[in-house]
Amino acid sequence: MKSSQPKKEKTREILNSFTSEESSLIPMLQACQKHFGYLPRVVMEEISSYLDMPLSNVYGVTTFYAQFRLEPLGDHLVKVCHGTACHVRGADKINELLENELGIKSGETTPDGTFTLERVACLGCCSLAPVIMVDETAHGNLDRDKVKAVVEKYRGDDK
Amino acid sequence: MSDKITVKIDGEEYECAKDGSVLDACRENGIFIPTLCEIEHIEEPFGGCRVCLVEITGPRGTIVTTSCDTPLSDDLEIRTETAEIIEGRRSAIELLLSEHTGDCVAPCSRECPASLDVQGYLAHIANGMPREAVKLIKEQTPLALSLGRACFAPCEEECRRQMVEEPISIRQEKQYAAEVDINDPWTPDVPYDTGKSIGIVGGGPAGLTAAYFLRLKGHRVTIYDMMPELGGMMRYGIPNYRLPKDILDKEIQWILDLGVDAKTDVEFGEDIHLEDLKEVHDAVFVSTGAWESWMIPIEGKDLPRVYGGIDFLIDHTLGKDIDIGEKVMVVGCGNTAMDVARTARRMGKDVTIAYRRSAEQAPASDEEMREAMEEGIRFEYLTNPEKICGCEMNGVSKVTCARMELGEPDASGRARPVKIEGEKVEFEADSVILAIGQSPEVEKLEEEGLQVEKYTLSVNDKFATNLEGVFAAGDVTLGPCSIVECTGHAREAAFAVDAYLSGVLNEYSPSEDYRLPFGYIHTDEKDEEDFADWNRIPRLKMQLRHPDERVKDNDAIEMGFKPAIAIQEAERCLECGCLDRFMCKLKDYADIYGASQEGQQGFKYEHEIDESHPWIIRDPGKCVLCGSCVRTTEEHGEGVVQFVHRGFQTVVEPAFGDPLGDTDSLMVGSLADACPTGALEEVPPSNKPGPFELDKMGDTYCMGCGLGCPTVVYGNDNVPLRLAPVRGHLCDIGKFQSIPKLVASQDKHGTIVDKKINVYASLNTTFEEAEALKELAEGTGGELYADIPDKVSTVGREELLEAEEIYVEDEALAISPVLKDLIPRSKLVEWKEDVISVVAPSSDVEPPYVVAQAGANAYGLYEMNLPQLPEQNEVLLVYDTDIPEDIDAKYIIQMVSDARDISKTADAVIPIRSWLEKEGTIKNLFGERVKLKPVVDSELPKNPLSIGKV
Amino acid sequence: MNTKVLIGYASCGIAAGAGEVDRALRSRIAKRSLDIEITKVGCVGMCHNEPIIEIHDPNGVYVYGDVEVSDVDEIVESHLVEGVPVEEKLISSPEESYDYFDVQEKIVLRNSGVIDPEDIGDYIDSGGYEALKKVLTEMSPQEVIDEIKNSNLRGRGGAGFPTGLKWQFAANAPGDEKYIICNADEGDPGAFMDRSILEGDPHAVLEGMIIGAYAIGASDSYIYCRAEYPLALKRLDIGIEQAKEKGFLGENILGTDFSFDIHIKEGAGAFVCGEETALMHSIEGERGMPRPRPPFPAQKGLFGKPTNINNVETWANIPWIIRNGAEEYASIGTERSGGTKVFALAGKIKRGGLVEVPIGTPLREIIYNVGGGIDEDLEFKAVQLGGPSGGCLPAEYLDTPVDYETLTEAGAIMGSGGMIVMDECDCMVNVARYFLDFTQKESCGKCTFCRVGTKRMLEILDKFTHGSGTLEDIESIKNLASNIKAYSLCGLGQTAPNPVLTTLRYFEHEYYDHLQEQTCSAGVCRELITFTITDACVGCTRCASECPTEAITGERGEQHVIDQEYCIKCGACHDVCPVNAVEVD
């Protein structure tokens, strides 16, 4: 197993820019996740000791919010919008197609670590429904062919 | 401005504290409102469970809302029991039940027709307390002995231990316990005389049971029975080898000794009529049983030497001469058929059983069928007698039977036997005994004016017949059934009669336990895989006499359990039923509001039960997410558990789902105290936890540390099992580690000698003890010593509570964890001078401080200014503590109050009273004197020094 | 007047490809060395036409819609160089203006799509911070509150509580330290008004908050904004910085004694944090679980101090009201609620986007006159208002004026302003299930009715969509729904059954079809439909190659067949068939 020391030190470094108040907890978690891509246990333990807050509180808050992940992400995060507009315009089908294309279920990461597929509530691009967002880029007005093309594009990125 | 406010609750006006909630106001005035998430000592309402609904007419009009979070205001009108409220509460509870897993009651108890607390009495047996087990059984039935011998034990069929390997020998365990009790039976008190009298017709299991419970309610009871002796089918239907008559006699005599009258050889409908009985009694209870054998419409059924099964057994018991020839065919394969066949076998006959269905379908128990086979009885399955051949003169000669095969399922769900055309078989037989069923003699009942439906006497759901004041139960209303069914049925009927006699029959409903089998939370989904990790421990079977021997006479064939075997077997119990059964609020409320687990159904998560903690079991499947534990642990500033995830997925658990056992908190017990269900459950300090209903034994002060927290002690049979805080919390040291394993007087291993004695006393020693010990030591030229602390507190409780800044050492909290509760987190600071410090005795900070002490009376002994114990001693009397290391003594006497502390190196050990048994004064670490009160009765002398004086 | 080019650069525009178009535009303009300023602006509301380029030249305003990178060169060459607009890409011109804005009245969106949201100068030029100056120099806090009261402005976050009154409570609450909060945790699926406002005109919100703080006596505040809105967060950050530089924010604002600060908190993904007490818990660093009220936030709110919470749209209205007067604001809208409401119009609509209309405008005008009617000219079936807390209204309600009371009476709610149009291909049982699934997943888990009740309701709806429901299930879902509504702890639970209740109220027959006839007439519920290939099939093999379960067989050039045993009803064949030969039954 890899040593957790570097993670610990990096976490400390990130935390030092925050005040040691309970209200800093969520911004701290956000900052750490931004850096590590997810929230490993050692990070939460560091936050717990920095804030002098029980670890269970840190864990309870982390698991409450959809934004936080306890597992590392794939290289590309594919968010499938399930907002109302997307729903009535076939978000379930888009989701299913992506599951088939990537060979994983929503919430999972491909074995090669390229993609993580995720359902999200609404990306707020309702006029372009159905929409997916890959990393920071939204792709709208999707149909089957466009979905496949998008996946191919990101697949190609890693080759 | 007044701090009181007037509110109207359910039509009455009450003065209430102004700043409280509606719930507080109701509670203050003794009006019941259910709630799962409200914690009395935490001011802010949580508002999660939504059970505390009330209707309020106030500024917002009339609304139904939760009472815990509705503040009081002027002119409120509160109603607590409208139909809408009840429906809302029921709905909330049903939703909670729908995500709840686990058994309230173990499957064995649920399946018991008399709802015996099987798990409870097995636990008592496992704990070496068989007499407690009998007591528990006798709460539900007076027939412990008979059931121990002759119950068909449906509990064993449901016993989940069979998913590991085999069910527990439950009936045999009961037999063991009941027969331990046989010669000096535990007997409940008959409280008072109500002056009412009941005539019970029929002294079988139902009649005896009704007599017992009605007598215990203070009524006068007379049993009328047509037979020469009481017992009914237990005497006349069940052979002696199964239920020995001497045992039955003792059971019946014990019931009669409660003051029950009996008149035998009085036949109902002949010698005595309902009219007469109604005249002399305030109520009549009909339990005449089912004494008529069924005959099948088969050719030859009227031939000589064709008998009804029950008639045969009765005649045999009465010692009549019965001619059944040499070859006997018994028709049927129920338990009566077994009794008949095996009785005939004991008469030296050649016995064949003919049964039209297969072996698997036979209603007789496997055990009985196996024993019958061992005894040389032949079984002919799928064989249906069609004609009994013979003549009027010589009686039966042979029986012609059709061979059958199994076809489509019939109404009972069993495959229907279908005749194989053309296949016939003949059996030579001198007699035929038809053991296919029996029924009540309904004609006689009708003649008395009782309403009958088909073959049984009709009663309503309150056990009342069509005639005023006449009740009935048992076989006469149910059709032929077992002892255990009759006794359960009759018990409930007896309560109905009692209600009738008290003029409240309309308020009667069956007792909670009796209702349990019909709709309680259960886990049917369990299978062998769930128990794959358990050690395989084979069932301990009761030894039977050898088949060759036992057919020679009619004596009992079971040889009984030895205590060690009974304990070992009872230890196999998986304890399926919830440990919180007697304290669970969810269960209580479900009962009160008629919520059932069928009301709402759907997906529920499967959770692992966490048994990693030494004293607390965490079962997330039973959690109602009321947050009480989370808020309690937050109050301690610990956060042992927290809400995790959200929505339907929410659980309460330690961080990362770590085992609870990993926590270093010493306040976990207080979380269990806060838990309204069995989700966090403390494990009592006994071999098997039961659960049992615990008795409140008394109040005293915890001796776990120098704080001396006020404590309530609960236990059973003078054995302390649970400590609870009087207010606030108890820490785990107090709750779990300070309960002594009591020493008994027979643990005494020596006497005090007449030499110079130095006494070394525990820091828990009371002032009174210390004085006596001092006197003893000085009387011999010795001295009293103790490992007294270096320092004691310089501030009292008030000062601590009022301090604005407090420094607290972790070590101090490890000694007295409850200190956490006294110090709000906001007051905690780093150490600096002049701040009140809470420290351990070894700390070197400057006063002012509170010193956490492990000894309850460390403060008191400190003040006595005792010297240091010398290294050389002639005789050292170690009083209620461990023998100090590096101390020389020629002779060491240990006086000990906790069996766990008994030293192997002491030359003599003398038992003394533990802190739960003694009276005395100590000074807590704030310098306050508190008086210990004995909560456990002790056989040890009050003055420990009087034991050992030579 | 110099020619000016605006490009829609809100999330919707970017998602539609505004980034590429912007780059192409800049590079072409640079190549031709034209002295033309390109401004990235927020969303003008016509999301359906994104990417949008607006060219302001001496002749007037020309709007190009659905601009692709390949169109850029032509537009630059023809319009900007030659001065000849490219007719076929134009959606609006001085000669023929777009009717999209005809019914609309812009107050909240007054600057959106018009000014550069990252430049405070643009905002100031359009009259920004005038209101703040007025308030600080001419008005007492109570006068401000009275003005807001008189404007009849009601909270735009959903419940519609009168804003002035809410401010009054917070102002009256004892305490030196008070907070205000801007709720920008727009979590309703299908709603994007707040995002567009923050992206298009962040200063309007900031100015509104500063005015509110002055009125209430707050010195500190938070904007609680979804992390999913990175662009909004960025523009808020820039806006706060610029406002501080200009002295609108910070110590001694505009030289007065009044000091005020705004912090941004990124939400971490929990719909329930739209609820005030949950939102405050979240800012405090806790799980976003609501707590019982009272005490109300105005008495005991953030960090235990009196707190006033309004949502983005509410705040954005404030400066306008102060500048133009309460009377003017109140004259728009209805008697009981003044002003306009922004709706996010989406679903099966021709022209989806942001719409701002006076309160009380009938649904029909919004859907048909602004939205252009139903996509593909299918039959209108329902419009869903108010997101997961709202309801679905049928055609009979098209002429209903959209205001708080009528919508509530009809079973829907104004909510934050999501407006999703549905056509005959939408199954109302499925829609109800969709919303309940959402709230069920977003339940915080604290209270019994919401946590378990919504789950049990969802399970019953699942039975319906699977065709295994019974008549008793209808009864039990109604009972459950009314208990959840009545006894849940917070608004999320109390409104969660609404989508189910309104669909049961207006479309009960669809429920009966599902459970009695085992049919889903909209062809949505998979368990109840079958796909078949008609003889229109040309045998192109496209369906067979798309089918994930290889349930479709057939020779090239011949009619294909679906093996129903293997068909998982994913609809892929239906979607790809070039000749519409796949039928749904």
Side-chain angles (χ1 to χ4, degrees), chain A:
Chain A
M1 242 182 91
K2 276 189 280 182
S3 157
S4 58
Q5 198 55 36
K7 271 199 188 112
K8 245 175 147 161
E9 281 164 16
K10 183 69 208 174
T11 307
R12 273 280 159 184
E13 201 185 307
I14 296 170
L15 300 187
N16 281 332
S17 63
F18 291 93
T19 53
S20 170
E21 290 171 309
E22 197 185 339
S23 60
S24 301
L25 173 60
I26 293 171
M28 280 175 170
L29 290 166
Q30 284 167 330
C32 290
Q33 175 158 300
K34 196 161 192 180
H35 181 82
F36 296 109
Y38 73 113
L39 293 166
R41 179 172 182 143
V42 55
V43 169
M44 288 191 239
E45 284 169 347
E46 276 306 297
I47 294 176
S48 158
S49 77
Y50 187 84
L51 289 177
D52 190 22
M53 174 192 275
L55 183 60
S56 65
N57 273 28
V58 179
Y59 185 70
V61 168
T62 305
T63 56
F64 184 84
Y65 294 99
Q67 182 186 20
F68 298 123
R69 308 164 200 292
L70 303 179
E71 299 292 328
L73 275 183
D75 301 333
H76 299 295
L77 174 61
V78 183
K79 295 180 189 162
V80 184
C81 177
H82 285 264
T84 318
C86 290
H87 176 75
V88 299
R89 288 197 176 267
D92 283 336
K93 282 185 182 174
I94 300 293
N95 208 86
E96 199 169 64
L97 183 64
L98 278 164
E99 289 184 346
N100 287 338
E101 283 291 312
L102 302 176
I104 49 172
K105 294 272 163 216
S106 296
E108 293 177 353
T109 299
T110 52
D112 65 357
T114 312
F115 293 102
T116 297
L117 185 61
E118 199 177 73
R119 297 170 66 101
V120 297
C122 187
L123 294 168
C125 305
C126 309
S127 298
L128 305 170
V131 182
I132 65 173
M133 190 182 254
V134 186
D135 305 329
E136 299 285 298
T137 312
H139 301 265
N141 289 320
L142 294 174
D143 58 23
R144 301 182 68 83
D145 292 336
K146 278 196 195 163
V147 169
K148 287 183 187 174
V150 170
V151 170
E152 278 318 305
K153 177 172 171 281
Y154 286 94
R155 248 190 205 133
D157 280 0
D158 296 292
K159 274 171 195 163

Side-chain angles (χ1 to χ4, degrees), chain B residues 417-686:
Chain B
V418 181
K419 186 170 164 181
I420 308 174
E421 282 307 325
E423 274 202 39
K424 281 205 169 152
V425 60
E426 281 188 351
F427 294 93
E428 280 185 26
D430 300 323
S431 60
V432 174
I433 308 179
L434 297 167
I436 52 165
Q438 59 207 70
S439 63
E441 296 172 84
V442 290
E443 297 81 9
K444 273 187 192 163
L445 301 169
E446 282 182 309
E447 279 166 25
E448 294 292 317
L450 289 163
Q451 193 184 316
V452 164
E453 195 179 332
K454 271 198 170 169
Y455 307 110
T456 56
L457 175 55
S458 307
V459 286
N460 65 12
D461 60 354
K462 298 185 190 319
F463 301 92
T465 67
N466 58 314
L467 300 180
E468 168 71 20
V470 182
F471 294 78
D475 282 359
V476 70
T477 62
L478 298 170
C481 50
S482 61
I483 308 172
V484 69
E485 287 164 294
C486 283
T487 190
H489 199 236
R491 178 187 69 224
E492 296 309 310
F495 297 152
V497 175
D498 175 56
Y500 169 77
L501 292 174
S502 316
V504 290
L505 184 61
N506 55 345
E507 284 169 28
Y508 165 82
S509 67
S511 56
E512 186 189 304
D513 286 335
Y514 197 66
R515 281 185 276 127
L516 282 184
F518 315 107
Y520 243 76
I521 298 161
H522 46 81
T523 48
D524 288 339
E525 311 87 36
K526 298 258 182 229
D527 60 24
E528 277 80 358
E529 252 175 55
D530 297 311
F531 296 93
D533 297 340
W534 283 82
N535 281 337
R536 304 280 181 274
I537 307 167
R539 169 181 167 114
L540 290 171
K541 298 188 176 72
M542 191 175 275
Q543 258 191 311
L544 303 181
R545 293 165 62 210
H546 191 276
D548 295 349
E549 287 300 314
R550 65 196 192 214
V551 294
K552 288 180 185 160
D553 56 41
N554 212 7
D555 293 347
I557 66 170
E558 286 187 325
M559 296 167 72
F561 268 159
K562 296 258 185 314
I565 299 288
I567 289 171
Q568 211 183 323
E569 176 65 3
E571 279 173 349
R572 289 176 63 235
C573 173
L574 296 177
E575 298 148 46
C576 308
C578 181
L579 294 187
D580 205 40
R581 175 180 170 193
F582 297 106
M583 315 238 286
C584 177
K585 283 191 185 175
L586 184 66
K587 181 180 164 295
D588 282 355
Y589 298 161
D591 284 333
I592 293 170
Y593 296 104
S596 77
Q597 81 268 38
E598 277 85 28
Q600 291 290 337
Q601 285 174 312
F603 173 79
K604 49 174 101 166
Y605 283 100
E606 270 185 44
H607 295 282
E608 294 267 324
I609 296 172
D610 177 358
E611 296 184 291
S612 59
H613 195 275
W615 305 304
I616 305 288
I617 294 177
R618 192 175 72 85
D619 182 351
K622 290 174 181 162
C623 177
V624 291
L625 296 164
C626 69
S628 300
C629 57
V630 175
R631 294 200 294 155
T632 302
T633 188
E634 276 173 357
E635 203 187 9
H636 302 319
E638 288 190 327
V640 173
V641 289
Q642 181 52 266
F643 289 105
V644 171
H645 304 301
R646 72 174 182 212
F648 192 71
Q649 258 191 303
T650 314
V651 290
V652 169
E653 61 181 22
F656 297 93
D658 288 348
L660 190 60
D662 286 2
T663 180
D664 51 9
S665 164
L666 282 171
M667 295 298 294
V668 188
S670 67
L671 311 192
D673 280 336
C675 179
T677 71
L680 284 172
E681 190 55 35
E682 67 181 67
V683 187
S686 55

Side-chain angles (χ1 to χ4, degrees), chain C residues 133-152:
Chain C
K133 282 179 197 155
K134 182 177 171 189
V135 159
L136 292 185
T137 54
E138 299 169 21
M139 296 170 83
S140 72
Q142 188 55 46
E143 280 166 353
V144 178
I145 293 174
D146 291 339
E147 189 75 2
I148 300 302
K149 277 185 189 164
N150 294 336
S151 75
N152 255 352

Side-chain angles (χ1 to χ4, degrees), chain A residues 23 60 82 87 96 124 148, chain C residues 195 265 430 434 526 546:
Chain A
S23 60
H82 285 264
H87 176 75
E96 199 169 64
K148 287 183 187 174
Chain C
R195 191 208 68 207
K265 280 273 176 181
N430 171 280
Y434 164 79
R526 284 187 178 184
E546 280 292 335

